[in-house]
Amino acid sequence: VQDDDLGGLRATRQRRAVLSVVEDLGVFSGARAVHEALEAGGHRVGLSTVYRSLHALAELEFIDSIRGEDGETLYRKCAGESHQHLLCRHCGTAEEFSASAVKALMEAWVSVGGYRDVEYVLEMYGTCPSCAFENDNRSC
Amino acid sequence: VQDDDLGGLRATRQRRAVLSVVEDLGVFSGARAVHEALEAGGHRVGLSTVYRSLHALAELEFIDSIRGEDGETLYRKCAGESHQHLLCRHCGTAEEFSASAVKALMEAWVSVGGYRDVEYVLEMYGTCPSCAFENDNRSC
DNA sequence: TTTGGTGCAAAACCTTTGCATTAGG
DNA sequence: CCTAATGCAAAGGTTTTGCACCAAA
């Protein structure tokens, strides 16, 4: 991707590298993982800059962020408006899916309760088929 | 509440105080907030004990835990099996609701994708009616 | 040139852990 | 008694921040 418009942010070498790496990684990744991937790719970017870039990019919705179970913030390039993911506990694969039913349900409930400005996050954790297969054949 | 059966855990003074405070607080609260509430109530409990108690109580599902947006782990006494909350951004009020539709949707999607052992968390953030009213009448 | 961005190291934060002491059952 | 539980302090990990320097526009 060669999207140079970062919505007001300066298109620095570091920021472009961070965005590129997040896009390439595909799976939800923490700042540390992104930093290591950058070094592995030959890019030299400070860890603080990685944090700042990820934060800024998420703020502008160039990437999507969720909280991992251990409290780490994870980022991923994400097409979507709403946040609905099915994540594999083992390999980190994240599949997106559309769940208009959830949206409808939410809106219905919200209107009954009188809530406003509602956003929602639906996260589902499971074991994907390939990981399930591996776990059946191995001890761990 | 005077539920002394902590499912295998010793009913220590500290643990009972932690559980009691979490029940009294009502809203999702972090370990630090619980600790402060304990001190305010005259109970002397170490911060580590608060963390350990909350963790243990959540493990045994005496209380429910979620991750706050800032990474803090929040706890609350919770009736429910599944994790579906509508939280007010302003006052922290959390309403529970049943969403069998979400469950059905999840199970349907899971069976199609072949995922196993799926758990899910549906969190919705909004502004509750009373807070919305206050915000309409005040500047902040 | 101007101002936002960067890098480094230190600090802030929440949370966990080692270890001697205490107290529940 | 026996062992889990506690408290303290120190360490762990992630994220933020102060400040001098650098580079995009």
Side-chain angles (χ1 to χ4, degrees), chain A residues 38 44 74 91 94 97 108 111-112:
Chain A
L38 283 165
R44 201 147 312 142
L74 306 174
C91 64
F97 62 102
S111 67
V112 171

Side-chain angles (χ1 to χ4, degrees), chain B residues 111-126:
Chain B
S111 66
V112 171
Y115 274 65
R116 292 187 188 178
D117 308 322
V118 174
E119 297 171 346
Y120 67 108
V121 178
L122 173 57
E123 289 169 13
M124 315 202 309
Y125 302 89

